[in-house]
Amino acid sequence: MAALIGRDLLSLGDLSPTEVEELLHMATQLKSQKLKLQCNKVLGLLFSKASTRTRVSFTVAMYQLGGQVIDLNPNVTQVSRGEPIQDTARVLDRYLDVLAIRTFAQEDLQTFANYAQIPVINALTDLEHPCQILADLMTIKEHFGSLAGLTLTYVGDGNNVANSLMLGCALVGMNVRIATPDGYKPNAAITEKARTIAATKTEVTLTNDAQNATKGSHVIYTDVWASMGQEAEAGDRLPIFQPYQINHQLLSLADKQAIVLHCLPAHRGEEITDEVMEGSQSRIWNQAENRMHAQKALLASILGAE
Ligand code: CP
Ligand code: NVA
């Protein structure tokens, strides 16, 4: 159970293929209650952006492990008054056992991790959303029984979710195709890293052709066209992203057994239609539930729960 004891999770690329496999196995065992783990530790949630799923799933996961959670909303701490990260990190380090951070710049997360000795978990930055992808991989494995050799197509904005998906798919031996408008591609360094992990075994493909990318794919995935912090651009993006909507027509190009995922929250009628979200191929609600099981496994592994 102690595979990741004391470790940070700042990027999904911090994990090895074996570590991802072990976390997914542990998450499945925890979900089915074949495995029960306990730890009497305290998790802090320092979230500078809104969150429903991540906040609640981390909180419930920690309670179910027998631990406790402190919600460190920046508005009620000195963070919103500009206390430097270096100072906040060194103080929180003295009270907490683990800290999950949702913020804008990956560099700020890195600074927290540099100054806090306790494990720091990326609960979403502009660059990555690793905890989301652990739940996504768990959901895909639940449906297909295994992951290696499957193809996932992500259609939409090359954002934090797309970046972490590339790493996650490469780590578990899945092919990944990212279809975005030109100018909205995923992060170049992370694309390279995913390609290095995938080596010659699987493919990491970037394209602007959503239809071709969807053909024969097993998992069709999307996310909002404008992420948190990009609200001012949302209107301008609508016409650019219109060809990247997951709708019945696009889904008909995928493998017959394909499932549809969305990290949520969704803008129905923009990146995904109501019909597809509520359709028989959607596994979106299982995916949301699995956030809790995957993060419980992550916390248990980092904290050495027994
Ligand atoms: N998918 C996800 O991270 O949702 P929240 O923003 O509600 O946490
Ligand atoms: N890309 C989205 C994900 C929300 C969970 C955002 O960063 O706002």
Side-chain angles (χ1 to χ4, degrees):
M1 290 316 123
L4 300 180
I5 206 153
R7 292 255 301 269
D8 294 328
L9 180 65
L10 308 185
S11 161
L12 204 56
D14 294 345
L15 300 177
S16 70
T18 307
E19 287 165 349
V20 173
E21 195 186 319
E22 285 175 1
L23 277 177
L24 298 183
H25 179 69
M26 196 194 295
T28 304
Q29 298 279 100
L30 286 166
K31 183 174 181 177
S32 66
Q33 301 198 3
K34 286 186 188 135
L35 180 65
K36 292 198 170 135
L37 295 170
Q38 288 286 299
C39 70
N40 184 20
K41 300 281 171 91
V42 182
L43 163 70
L45 298 178
L46 184 54
F47 281 22
S48 303
K49 292 173 172 172
S51 170
T52 299
R53 279 143 289 271
T54 311
R55 183 191 302 282
V56 179
S57 58
F58 260 120
T59 302
V60 176
M62 198 60 183
Y63 286 166
Q64 290 184 355
L65 285 170
Q68 299 186 53
V69 179
I70 303 179
D71 193 346
L72 299 163
N73 183 333
N75 294 330
V76 295
T77 63
Q78 301 286 6
V79 171
S80 57
R81 293 182 61 246
E83 183 167 7
I85 292 172
Q86 292 86 333
D87 299 359
T88 307
R90 281 177 288 184
V91 173
L92 293 179
D93 175 73
R94 309 271 174 136
Y95 305 138
L96 301 169
D97 297 299
V98 55
L99 182 59
I101 297 178
R102 173 168 284 204
T103 192
F104 294 86
Q106 184 80 11
E107 293 71 24
D108 288 348
L109 180 75
Q110 185 68 58
T111 305
F112 260 108
N114 291 348
Y115 281 86
Q117 302 295 312
I118 56 169
V120 171
I121 298 173
N122 181 349
L124 182 146
T125 61
D126 292 345
L127 191 67
E128 275 209 57
H129 197 1
C131 296
Q132 175 68 52
I133 275 60
L134 290 174
D136 301 341
L137 295 173
M138 179 183 176
T139 310
I140 299 165
K141 196 171 172 200
E142 260 178 1
H143 182 79
F144 290 102
S146 58
L147 296 170
L150 294 173
T151 298
L152 178 145
T153 298
Y154 173 95
V155 182
D157 183 30
N159 60 19
N160 41 13
V161 169
N163 289 334
S164 293
L165 268 175
M166 290 193 295
L167 293 169
C169 289
L171 282 163
V172 299
M174 289 175 63
N175 299 297
V176 56
R177 304 173 186 161
I178 308 285
T180 68
D182 290 332
Y184 295 90
K185 289 194 188 335
N187 178 274
I190 293 183
T191 306
E192 270 321 297
K193 174 146 194 186
R195 286 187 170 142
T196 304
I197 296 167
T200 52
K201 297 186 297 287
T202 56
E203 286 182 358
V204 179
T205 309
L206 307 191
T207 176
N208 60 9
D209 186 341
Q211 309 240 338
N212 246 333
T214 303
K215 277 183 194 153
S217 191
H218 304 101
V219 183
I220 314 305
Y221 196 125
T222 193
D223 183 17
V224 289
W225 289 340
S227 287
M228 290 182 274
Q230 299 173 329
E231 289 80 1
E233 290 177 46
D236 293 341
R237 288 185 175 214
L238 282 178
I240 300 168
F241 280 86
Q242 207 55 55
Y244 298 84
Q245 183 188 67
I246 298 191
N247 51 37
H248 176 69
Q249 188 274 329
L250 191 71
L251 189 55
S252 71
L253 302 172
D255 185 273
K256 292 274 174 295
Q257 309 296 324
I259 60 169
V260 175
L261 299 181
H262 190 309
C263 58
L264 302 175
H267 290 176
R268 291 170 190 242
E270 291 184 18
E271 75 274 4
I272 189 165
T273 60
D274 214 23
E275 183 189 26
V276 169
M277 260 193 94
E278 301 294 347
S280 62
Q281 289 168 278
S282 166
R283 293 293 176 279
I284 291 170
W285 315 115
N286 296 16
Q287 178 189 11
E289 178 189 334
N290 286 339
R291 295 295 307 278
M292 185 173 73
H293 305 299
Q295 284 154 208
K296 197 190 289 177
L298 179 66
L299 289 168
S301 186
I302 285 177
L303 294 169
E306 293 180 345

